């Protein structure tokens, strides 16, 4: 695969940014791509990046933090509980909180380093069983437990929801799934169960192949990788 030039990445970023609506922000998914591509994207004005492997993220953070202190890192992939400790000191947001067990470990590690870590709870709405996350009912039950025992969950700040749609060609199915997540998001915001409702503002939906549909259904964050950086190395 031919390496990308700075001009290529800048052009792709400009094209995607021109499609963002309603104040939505771009998470440039840099996983499996070299740190040089992050530097090129930074030169083109991108600051927010998404990674999904802990070791790779830590290496990139360590290699870039002194020269680029304004980089913002979101963790967007499956996260093992025994790996949380490695990113807790610096991660700006964990978008992929898929279980209460993981949530409690994030709380524990956040308290250990004296931080409050912003998180998104991942909702499972896709048809594929391989996709992870909370069902809507599980999410409602968890939020009830958080509201009744906030001290148990100290160390995190709930900023919203994250979801992945089914990997299908039927746009009606994809839009329907995104719309269902947005309805759940609105339900939670108006339910009175949130301890800090003013923070619950993010809806992370959509990737390279379906982010325009996610934008139409109210996404505030879109996670785009291959449309910027090409196929995985």
């Amino acid at each position: 695969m031919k390496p990308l030039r700075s001009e290529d990445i800048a052009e792709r970023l400009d094209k995607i940014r021109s499609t963002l609506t309603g104040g939505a922000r771009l998470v440039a998914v840099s996983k499996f791509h070299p740190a040089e591509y992050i530097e090129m994207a930074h030169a083109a004005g991108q600051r927010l990046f998404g990674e999904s492997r802990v070791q790779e993220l830590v290496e990139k953070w360590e290699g870039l933090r002194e020269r680029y202190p304004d980089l913002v890192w979101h963790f967007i992939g499956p996260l093992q509980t025994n790996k949380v400790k490695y990113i807790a000191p610096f991660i700006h947001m964990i978008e992929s909180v898929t279980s209460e067990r993981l949530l409690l470990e994030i709380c524990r590690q956040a308290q250990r380093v004296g931080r409050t870590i912003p998180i998104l709870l991942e909702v499972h709405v896709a048809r594929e069983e391989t996709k992870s996350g909370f069902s809507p009912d599980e999410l409602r039950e968890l939020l009830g437990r958080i509201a009744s025992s906030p001290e148990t969950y100290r160390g995190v700040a709930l900023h919203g929801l994250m979801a992945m749609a089914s990997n299908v060609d039927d746009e009606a199915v994809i839009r329907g799934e995104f719309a269902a997540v947005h309805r759940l998001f609105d339900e939670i915001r108006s339910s009175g169960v949130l301890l800090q409702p003013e923070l619950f503002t993010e809806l992370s939906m959509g990737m390279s192949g379906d982010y325009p549909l996610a934008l139409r259904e109210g996404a505030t964050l879109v996670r785009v990788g291959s449309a910027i950086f090409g196929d995985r190395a």
Side-chain angles (χ1 to χ4, degrees), residues 113-188:
V113 296
R115 296 189 64 211
T116 297
I117 298 176
I119 64 163
L120 304 182
L121 298 176
E122 185 171 346
V123 186
H124 183 193
V125 293
R127 295 178 175 183
E128 297 101 322
E129 289 301 318
T130 53
K131 296 276 181 23
S132 54
F134 297 92
S135 71
D137 284 341
E138 289 171 339
L139 191 62
R140 294 180 185 103
E141 292 170 3
L142 174 62
L143 291 171
R145 289 194 292 275
I146 294 173
S148 62
S149 182
E151 188 62 22
T152 303
Y153 304 89
R154 186 168 53 87
V156 300
L158 178 54
H159 281 245
L161 303 179
M162 186 262 244
M164 289 187 287
S166 297
N167 184 20
V168 296
D169 294 327
D170 191 336
E171 290 191 359
V173 169
I174 296 170
R175 285 197 66 174
E177 290 172 352
F178 287 149
V181 178
H182 197 173
R183 287 194 298 272
L184 181 61
F185 176 81
D186 287 340
E187 173 195 321
I188 292 168

Side-chain angles (χ1 to χ4, degrees), residues 79-81 84 96-106:
L79 179 57
Q80 296 174 285
T81 53
V84 175
S96 49
V97 179
T98 56
S99 70
E100 187 169 11
R101 180 169 173 262
L102 175 58
L103 173 61
L104 289 169
E105 181 61 16
I106 296 170

Side-chain angles (χ1 to χ4, degrees), residues 14-28:
D14 285 343
K15 182 178 180 180
I16 293 167
R17 288 179 189 137
S18 71
T19 67
L20 298 182
T21 54
R25 292 174 294 140
L26 170 64
V27 181

Side-chain angles (χ1 to χ4, degrees), residues 21-74:
T21 54
R25 292 174 294 140
L26 170 64
V27 181
V29 179
S30 48
K31 63 180 183 179
F32 307 121
H33 294 289
E36 289 79 7
Y37 283 9
I38 297 174
E39 295 182 76
M40 293 176 187
H42 183 277
Q46 183 65 24
R47 298 294 181 267
L48 175 53
F49 294 87
E51 292 282 336
S52 65
R53 294 196 302 182
V54 168
Q55 182 177 349
E56 181 180 357
L57 170 57
V58 171
E59 290 174 355
K60 287 175 176 176
W61 173 71
E62 289 178 341
L64 296 169
R65 60 176 172 164
E66 289 189 6
R67 284 176 295 154
Y68 306 100
D70 56 346
L71 289 176
V72 176
W73 299 101
H74 283 201

Side-chain angles (χ1 to χ4, degrees), residues 22 63 78 112 126 128 147 150 155 175 192 208 211 215 229:
R112 180 181 63 86
E128 297 101 322
R175 285 197 66 174
S208 289
Y211 81 88
L215 288 170
F229 301 113

Side-chain angles (χ1 to χ4, degrees), residues 146-150 192-198:
I146 294 173
S148 62
S149 182
V193 74
L194 296 170
L195 299 175
Q196 295 177 289
E198 71 280 2

